Amino acid sequence: MRSDSLTLPIVVAGVLLLTACGSQKGDSQSADLTQTQGSDTPDLPGKSSCGAQASDTPGAPGTSALPGDPSGLEKDGVKIIGSSGGARACAEFKVTNHETEPFTYTIAFEFLSDSGEALTSTKQTVPSVKPGQTVKRTVAMGGLPSDPRGKVRVQIAEVRSVPADEAPSQGGPCPPSGVRVYADDGDAAMGLRVVSLHLENCGTRTTRLNGYPQLQLLDEGHKPVNSVKILHGGSAVATGTGADGVPQPLVLKPGERAYAGLVWRNTVEAGVGNPVNAPYVRVWEKPGAAPVMVIPELDLGTTGKLGVGPWKKDETNGPVTGGVSGTQSPEHPSLSAVPAQP
């Protein structure tokens, strides 16, 4: 097993003032990620892929004036280095991997009006940044409402990272293991959380499952969280979530999928220890399998337990959207149908 002594670029909060994208109107919004060449050495001022001169010095020519302490734009390996207007609001940033192995970074951006009103948000993934490498990227958002003062702000709300060889895969090339494992966005209601692990046989051989996925909970620093009991069956936390049943042998042919539910509550009771947050979960679909690190953002409160359901075959053909299987069938109800429990 990999050493758990990994450091994490934790939540990053930096605000950059952007020139607004003209007077675009419309209900649709779009985000894109423009990849620029990565570098093993620090980035130098130069032509920004946002269309302006990027600089590491806030307020330099080609960048917007930055309010407050400019040090807030650089934390834990992520730095906003430039901005530009034009057809869309745009910010250029760079990610530096200070670890000893490749990491994949997921960064949440929020776009706000000059007055601070939230306009929209988006996430960008920067895959496989090598140790010591600096990679430059651009995040852009079109279709934003016009601001009378013509400015939009973007802030980096959160950064998560996982070892590149354990990164979850929902698309693209099939991993060497021949299976994809990832978590959906889940459902939440009245403090109850349900997130599903999804497995797809994207290889050329049959995959066999029988039982429950094996889990290891990790905190923001990728350190094991040992204070939480992992219990078999969603009913250990709440009934009616679809994460119950007796494990059955599954045979997944190429292209077939399976799922397993994670169920927890975020209840906080006075005098019962400190709330536990475990953003990461390392998953083994069966003993001896290659681990995958997903990011379900477990806000476990002081409950001290997590329910995990058995692997079940996913008979749906549609896209996975959330909940236990991404459907609202009687076998996989939404949380609006789950009875409230203390």
Side-chain angles (χ1 to χ4, degrees), residues 19-178:
T19 304
C21 308
S23 58
Q24 283 190 342
K25 294 182 180 180
D27 296 330
S28 62
Q29 294 178 339
S30 62
D32 65 27
L33 176 63
T34 303
Q35 297 188 0
T36 58
Q37 184 175 2
S39 172
D40 292 330
T41 59
D43 292 321
L44 299 175
K47 185 70 174 178
S48 165
S49 58
C50 286
Q53 292 292 319
S55 171
D56 287 347
T57 303
T63 65
S64 302
L66 301 175
D69 186 355
S71 66
L73 298 172
E74 179 182 12
K75 291 185 180 181
D76 301 308
V78 178
K79 183 177 183 179
I80 296 178
I81 58 174
S83 66
S84 175
R88 57 183 180 266
C90 175
E92 190 167 27
F93 65 98
K94 64 182 182 179
V95 179
T96 302
N97 182 2
H98 298 293
E99 304 295 342
T100 58
E101 62 180 307
F103 264 68
T104 290
Y105 297 83
T106 299
I107 306 168
F109 293 91
E110 293 180 341
F111 289 80
L112 304 92
S113 69
D114 191 45
S115 61
E117 177 187 2
L119 301 175
T120 188
S121 62
T122 187
K123 287 185 178 181
Q124 302 291 9
T125 297
V126 182
S128 301
V129 182
K130 298 177 182 179
Q133 184 184 33
T134 294
V135 177
K136 186 185 296 182
R137 295 290 185 266
T138 299
V139 60
M141 184 67 69
L144 297 175
S146 299
D147 188 284
R149 284 169 287 187
K151 294 180 180 179
V152 173
R153 289 189 293 166
V154 61
Q155 66 181 15
I156 302 174
E158 186 176 73
V159 174
R160 297 300 189 202
S161 66
V162 300
D165 61 359
E166 294 186 26
S169 170
Q170 192 170 349
C174 187
S177 63

Side-chain angles (χ1 to χ4, degrees), residues 239-317:
T239 59
T241 63
D244 286 304
V246 178
Q248 301 292 331
L250 299 183
V251 178
L252 301 181
K253 298 177 182 179
E256 294 186 325
R257 302 182 299 182
Y259 66 93
L262 303 181
V263 183
W264 74 96
R265 290 189 181 275
N266 70 339
T267 308
V268 176
E269 299 181 15
V272 190
N274 297 320
V276 174
N277 291 302
Y280 305 97
V281 175
R282 182 174 277 136
V283 179
W284 294 263
E285 74 262 22
K286 58 184 178 182
V292 175
M293 192 179 295
V294 298
I295 314 175
E297 300 288 350
L298 302 180
D299 53 341
L300 296 156
T302 57
T303 62
K305 60 184 180 180
L306 170 71
V308 56
W311 286 117
K312 297 181 181 181
K313 195 166 186 178
D314 188 346
E315 304 289 356
T316 66
N317 294 318

